[in-house]
Amino acid sequence: MRTLHISSRSQWENALSRLETWLEEQEVSMPVQQNIFIAFDEIVSNIFHHNEQDFPVQIDIQLDIQTSSVTLEFKDNCKLFNPLEATNTRENDIGGWGIDIVLKLMDVTKYEIVNGMNCLTIQKNII
């Protein structure tokens, strides 16, 4: 298991690079890596974009790999918000498609509140 920390937009790209290195070390196929990169980017983008607080964003991402799947667990200190209740269901809406993309790319997506923090977990099957 590995943990990534993001507390500023400038750390976002570094975390993505570290995720890429970790997935390569785990010998995850390129198609699965690409889906995970897109989901990662959408989730982190949404956390920063929808932050409505006066103190800095803190995001901790736990990376885990099992025999059949890769799991990323995103915990943030932003206002509690379940993104799974905000999916975009109207075709003509502009924006707001991030979580819909994540739901399409991942095999499991779940949200819960853990110790007063948002916790979004995504999982991608690798077999």
Side-chain angles (χ1 to χ4, degrees), residues 3-22:
T3 303
L4 303 175
H5 303 282
I6 302 173
S7 58
S8 68
R9 291 179 188 266
S10 63
Q11 293 176 343
W12 184 346
E13 189 174 317
N14 181 287
L16 189 57
S17 175
R18 291 176 49 212
L19 172 62
E20 180 178 19
T21 299
W22 182 78

Side-chain angles (χ1 to χ4, degrees), residues 20-59:
E20 180 178 19
T21 299
W22 182 78
L23 289 170
E24 287 174 358
E25 289 170 354
Q26 305 304 317
E27 299 180 356
V28 174
S29 72
M30 189 53 67
V32 170
Q33 285 187 42
Q34 290 171 339
N35 286 342
I36 292 171
F37 295 152
I38 292 167
F40 178 95
D41 198 52
E42 290 293 340
I43 292 167
V44 174
S45 172
N46 282 345
I47 292 169
F48 277 106
H49 181 72
H50 296 290
N51 178 32
E52 298 175 354
Q53 60 197 24
D54 294 330
F55 51 91
V57 171
Q58 295 291 324
I59 307 168

Side-chain angles (χ1 to χ4, degrees), residues 42-82:
E42 290 293 340
I43 292 167
V44 174
S45 172
N46 282 345
I47 292 169
F48 277 106
H49 181 72
H50 296 290
N51 178 32
E52 298 175 354
Q53 60 197 24
D54 294 330
F55 51 91
V57 171
Q58 295 291 324
I59 307 168
D60 290 325
I61 305 143
Q62 294 286 326
L63 312 174
D64 192 23
I65 189 163
Q66 301 296 318
T67 305
S68 61
S69 64
V70 174
T71 303
L72 281 72
E73 179 184 86
F74 297 79
K75 286 185 185 173
D76 70 71
N77 66 336
C78 296
K79 178 181 175 183
L80 296 179
F81 173 74
N82 183 349

